[in-house]
Amino acid sequence: SRLVSQATQHLKLQFIFKRTLNGQHLLKHLCSQADNTDRSNLNFFFKKQDKILKRYEFIKLSRLGKRLHNRYFIANFLPTRSGKIRLGITVTKRVGNAVNRNRIKRFVREYFRLNRHLLNFDLDLIIIAKNGAAKLSSEQIYSAIKNIFDRIPE
């Protein structure tokens, strides 16, 4: 009976997710399930205001920001007082063709979108992909980005 109830719960969540356009209803359902979840920090959207788009902002972060790296990614970050966490992504042509570059950017954006609530302070963050990143699977990209996120000091 426990397996049946888990399967039923899974089907309910699938149904709720399919019926929503933006995931907000699913978020409300999941938060209502947990007693101690703070909904104010959970924002799973990635809007234009959450992106670093201007060249001068990228240059400022590369000059003034702190740097972390692992085998596949470099992260430049700088704490801010803007009230939000912003992300910029750089993937050069040396990494691969347009399909591979866009794939890496998509995975980095998705990881950021789902895990930015783990960062407890406001900052600007730039992720730069290194040459070997194009050959990684999605799980390897997520683990490499998780490694960088875990090492950002608070």
Side-chain angles (χ1 to χ4, degrees):
S1 71
R2 189 171 133 202
L3 280 174
V4 172
S5 66
Q6 286 177 346
T8 306
Q9 181 71 17
H10 180 69
L11 289 174
K12 284 180 186 176
L13 288 177
Q14 279 184 338
F15 176 73
I16 290 170
F17 186 71
K18 288 178 183 176
R19 298 286 291 178
T20 60
L21 295 175
N22 58 14
Q24 273 305 99
H25 293 96
L26 176 65
L27 174 64
K28 288 178 184 173
H29 176 74
L30 292 175
C31 287
S32 67
Q33 296 285 328
D35 296 331
N36 57 358
T37 303
D38 180 18
R39 281 188 229 178
S40 61
N41 275 343
L42 296 177
N43 179 4
F44 293 109
F45 297 110
F46 190 64
K47 298 179 181 178
K48 190 171 183 176
Q49 63 193 13
D50 298 329
K51 299 176 185 178
I52 299 172
L53 299 173
K54 302 291 183 186
R55 183 175 188 272
Y56 71 89
E57 293 176 321
F58 279 88
I59 292 171
K60 177 181 148 188
L61 271 171
S62 65
R63 286 186 184 156
L64 302 176
K66 296 177 184 172
R67 181 175 289 215
L68 293 172
H69 66 91
N70 60 22
R71 187 172 177 189
Y72 301 108
F73 294 99
I74 300 169
N76 291 334
F77 63 94
L78 185 65
T80 63
R81 296 180 184 162
S82 64
K84 57 188 158 218
I85 303 171
R86 298 188 314 152
L87 174 71
I89 305 169
T90 302
V91 185
T92 63
K93 287 186 178 180
R94 288 184 299 166
V95 173
N97 63 16
V99 172
N100 289 328
R101 293 194 309 266
N102 290 332
R103 178 178 168 268
I104 291 168
K105 288 188 279 188
R106 193 170 54 246
F107 285 134
V108 171
R109 273 193 311 266
E110 185 67 9
Y111 185 86
F112 174 77
R113 187 181 72 82
L114 295 174
N115 295 291
R116 87 173 119 202
H117 66 277
L118 299 175
L119 298 171
N120 297 326
F121 57 98
D122 303 330
L123 78 150
D124 287 347
L125 172 68
I126 294 177
I127 301 290
I128 303 167
K130 291 184 180 179
N131 285 344
K135 298 177 181 129
L136 299 177
S137 69
S138 60
E139 292 85 15
Q140 291 171 323
I141 290 174
Y142 285 144
S143 68
I145 296 297
K146 181 183 183 323
N147 173 271
I148 293 230
F149 266 59
D150 292 343
R151 291 172 35 212
I152 294 176
E154 294 187 18

